[in-house]
Amino acid sequence: MTDIASTNTTATGPASSSSMVEEPLDLVRLSLDERIYVKLRGDRELRGRLHAYDQHLNMVLGEVEETITIVDVDEESNTQSVRTVNRKVPMLFVRGDGVILVSPPSRA
């Protein structure tokens, strides 16, 4: 596995002091140590502080709030019920191949 980037480097090289976004991973780099939203396969959503990432979008998140959406189908009555399960995790490694979307914090 490749090294995970920290605040001093990115997956493509040294971090610059500018806040310009020239490549997709620049947006992720600018979100280091910020709370981000991550949508994953399997109807999972994460909100947490981005500690590190790499070019595969493997991420280390802290102070994570995970929301799992579960759709149950009753085959007899053909009705659906949707429920959500929430949990908090102090530190979490996210494998990049499950990531669908990464949203940086809003900058007012």
Side-chain angles (χ1 to χ4, degrees), residues 24-25 27-29 31 35-40 46 50 53 57-59 61 94 96 99-105:
L25 286 178
L27 190 61
V28 178
R29 176 183 49 84
S31 300
R35 289 190 62 78
I36 63 170
Y37 168 80
V38 181
K39 184 166 178 63
L40 300 170
L46 304 173
L50 179 63
Y53 70 97
L57 278 184
N58 294 320
M59 292 180 269
L61 299 176
V94 180
V99 174
I100 295 172
L101 176 138
V102 177
S103 178

Side-chain angles (χ1 to χ4, degrees), residues 5-104:
S6 68
T7 56
N8 295 330
T9 61
T10 66
T12 58
S16 67
S17 60
S18 75
S19 60
M20 291 186 54
V21 175
E22 295 177 2
E23 298 179 14
L25 286 178
D26 288 346
L27 190 61
V28 178
R29 176 183 49 84
L30 293 173
S31 300
L32 278 168
D33 295 323
E34 304 270 351
R35 289 190 62 78
I36 63 170
Y37 168 80
V38 181
K39 184 166 178 63
L40 300 170
R41 292 185 201 175
D43 293 324
R44 293 176 182 262
E45 300 175 358
L46 304 173
R47 286 176 178 77
R49 187 165 306 280
L50 179 63
H51 290 286
Y53 70 97
D54 67 11
Q55 71 271 18
H56 305 288
L57 278 184
N58 294 320
M59 292 180 269
V60 177
L61 299 176
E63 306 164 21
V64 181
E65 299 169 13
E66 179 182 27
T67 303
I68 304 168
T69 303
I70 301 168
V71 178
D72 294 319
V73 178
D74 182 359
E75 294 182 17
E76 291 179 8
S77 64
N78 204 22
T79 58
Q80 292 183 349
S81 63
V82 179
R83 61 188 171 100
T84 59
V85 177
N86 296 307
R87 72 176 184 147
K88 293 188 178 192
V89 183
M91 190 68 68
L92 187 67
F93 175 86
V94 180
R95 185 176 160 132
D97 69 348
V99 174
I100 295 172
L101 176 138
V102 177
S103 178

